[in-house]
Amino acid sequence: SLEPALKAEMLLLPSEADIAEALAAKNLSIDPAAIHLAREKLRAIIATDLQTILHTSYQNMSNSHGLSDHAMQQRKLRNICLSYLIAQQDNDAMNLAYQQFQQAGTMTDQFAALSVLVNCDCEQRTLAIQSFEKQWSHESNVMDKWFSAQASSSRPDTLKHVQSLMSHPKFDIKNPNKVRALIGTFAMRNPNAFHAIDGKGYEFIAEQVLILDKLNPQIASRMVRAFMNWKHLEPTRQILMKQQLQRIADDKDLSNDVYEIVSKALQ
């Protein structure tokens, strides 16, 4: 009998960033990979135990069209159901997501389907990415969403994919919106990829901060904030992140905006 929007909120798990923040508040060290693994395991358990209910609920809301409050609530719950169904990574769920992508009557439904497919290793993912790009290439703001969805992917090759997207014709490192959508999303909204244990994510963002600092110190200072919680990380990542902070601090031409943040972080 609950409203669909309330059901959707109750089904949402806390984000990886929220979990990390809760650990830090208790002075516990943060292991981003362990948080990601635990959260994904819980998602898979919920998806398995509630598979029939989730699928039935999804199908029951397949006609949630229009801009009424109830229709929008139904779409929100429907897309949460889809995100759980695809957690099992089976082909039926991927086909369901791609079908929603193709038949979506709203940007909300289309982007929700794209957002779950970017995490998968399947043909439907490639088709959805290509189709969305073709459909919306003339809309700069919508392409920002396209960049952001791919930068937030949980796939192990996300960093390489982000690096390749920097050569995309629609990406411009001088455009703050594009930087926030691609580089910012990777650094701020993809903790599992950014905090990869090899330190490559830290190296990449540090490099971009140094480049951006010469172009737009304000956007560079925003990106460098991704390093601010380094003291709360487990020891290996602490060392790797501090090395990149020091790398930035050692730049002799660093702007005041970035220097102030980095110097405080290193204290």
Side-chain angles (χ1 to χ4, degrees):
S1 61
L2 296 176
E3 289 292 319
L6 182 54
K7 292 180 184 178
E9 290 296 329
M10 292 173 71
L11 279 168
L12 281 174
L13 296 178
S15 70
E16 292 175 32
D18 287 340
I19 298 169
E21 187 176 330
L23 291 172
K26 295 180 179 180
N27 292 317
L28 298 173
S29 65
I30 299 168
D31 183 337
I35 292 173
H36 177 75
L37 181 61
R39 189 175 182 275
E40 288 304 296
K41 280 186 176 181
L42 180 55
R43 284 182 71 241
I45 291 169
I46 293 171
T48 300
D49 288 355
L50 301 181
Q51 183 175 14
T52 301
I53 296 172
L54 289 165
H55 193 271
T56 300
S57 298
Y58 179 89
Q59 295 297 345
N60 287 344
M61 292 178 287
S62 60
N63 293 318
S64 55
H65 306 302
L67 297 177
S68 69
D69 181 61
H70 187 68
M72 288 190 285
Q73 286 191 37
Q74 284 192 320
R75 284 197 291 273
K76 182 174 183 177
L77 178 55
R78 184 172 183 250
N79 288 325
I80 294 294
C81 290
L82 180 65
S83 72
Y84 275 107
L85 290 170
I86 209 164
Q88 295 177 306
Q89 296 282 309
D90 64 71
N91 202 52
D92 287 343
M94 293 172 192
N95 284 334
L96 190 67
Y98 188 59
Q99 182 182 41
Q100 174 173 314
F101 176 86
Q102 289 180 301
Q103 299 176 358
T106 66
M107 171 64 72
T108 300
D109 279 352
Q110 187 184 40
F111 188 71
L114 176 67
S115 296
V116 296
L117 284 170
V118 294
N119 299 313
C120 303
D121 183 13
C122 61
E123 182 185 8
Q124 296 92 326
R125 170 187 180 273
T126 303
L127 292 172
I129 288 173
Q130 292 174 346
S131 179
F132 194 94
E133 177 188 14
K134 183 177 180 180
Q135 181 180 355
W136 299 106
S137 60
H138 61 290
E139 294 283 352
S140 182
N141 290 341
V142 181
M143 286 300 291
D144 288 347
K145 294 171 73 70
W146 183 78
F147 283 119
S148 179
Q150 295 172 83
S152 63
S153 171
S154 61
R155 285 165 52 104
D157 63 347
T158 295
L159 174 56
K160 289 183 179 179
H161 192 59
V162 168
Q163 290 170 320
S164 70
L165 284 171
M166 291 183 67
S167 301
H168 191 278
K170 295 295 181 180
F171 179 79
D172 181 0
I173 199 166
K174 296 179 182 179
N175 184 321
N177 288 338
K178 295 292 179 284
V179 171
R180 282 190 287 265
L182 184 62
I183 301 172
T185 295
F186 177 83
M188 310 287 191
R189 292 166 48 199
N190 195 341
N192 186 55
F194 173 58
H195 293 286
I197 195 62
D198 60 4
K200 297 296 184 183
Y202 304 154
E203 290 178 21
F204 170 68
I205 295 302
E207 181 181 344
Q208 302 315 310
V209 167
L210 291 171
I211 293 170
L212 287 164
D213 193 45
K214 308 300 183 288
L215 303 171
N216 188 333
Q218 289 185 327
I219 196 73
S221 63
R222 177 174 290 194
M223 295 300 112
V224 83
R225 291 183 185 279
F227 293 98
M228 293 299 288
N229 71 338
W230 70 274
K231 293 179 182 178
H232 295 294
L233 298 173
E234 51 76 34
T236 300
R237 288 179 174 85
Q238 272 194 34
I239 294 169
L240 293 170
M241 188 177 273
K242 187 179 180 182
Q243 287 174 347
Q244 296 307 315
L245 272 170
Q246 193 63 58
R247 173 189 172 191
I248 297 170
D250 289 343
D251 188 293
K252 299 186 185 306
D253 297 319
L254 207 60
S255 69
N256 290 334
D257 300 71
V258 173
Y259 177 77
E260 182 179 355
I261 294 173
V262 172
S263 59
K264 285 184 179 179
L266 287 170
Q267 287 176 358

